[in-house]
Amino acid sequence: MLEVPDSQALTGAALAHIEADEFMPDEERGHAEAAVREDESEALAYLVDPTDLVAEIPGVELAQASWSSEPVEYDPESMEWDIDEEDGDFDEQPDNA
């Protein structure tokens, strides 16, 4: 999970990254800038390179990467957000006392 408390800073950083990319064609640059202004997940995608996330892990080679994101309301008190549990798996251990 990732929280974006300052979407303007995220968008600004992504736009600066796009502007600094000397190899990006102008047509693609315009499309990228529009996408980043419209959607925070697009801004994040221009700043995070999946290859960089695994490049230093021995024995791992990235073959393909994709991701998706969606806005959600985060409630840290909700069982839905309990990071100690597996997705939907709330089996309790039996009490052997």
Side-chain angles (χ1 to χ4, degrees):
M1 178 185 333
L2 178 75
E3 182 178 355
V4 179
D6 189 346
S7 61
Q8 289 180 341
L10 174 64
T11 300
L15 290 171
H17 181 76
I18 292 166
E19 180 69 28
D21 186 345
E22 61 189 50
F23 299 108
M24 185 180 290
D26 288 340
E27 184 177 309
E28 184 179 336
R29 187 180 317 276
H31 174 73
E33 290 171 343
V36 162
R37 284 187 181 98
E38 190 173 305
D39 186 353
E40 292 171 356
S41 63
E42 289 291 331
L44 187 61
Y46 277 96
L47 295 170
V48 177
D49 182 354
T51 305
D52 291 343
L53 297 175
V54 297
E56 300 297 319
I57 300 174
V60 173
E61 182 177 325
L62 184 64
Q64 181 178 354
S66 66
W67 63 2
S68 65
S69 67
E70 63 182 273
V72 295
E73 293 295 322
Y74 174 61
D75 177 5
E77 301 299 318
S78 171
M79 288 295 289
E80 187 177 320
W81 295 102
D82 189 354
I83 60 173
D84 293 330
E85 298 290 335
E86 294 295 321
D87 291 338
D89 185 12
F90 296 103
D91 294 338
E92 292 188 23
Q93 297 296 322
D95 187 6
N96 293 332

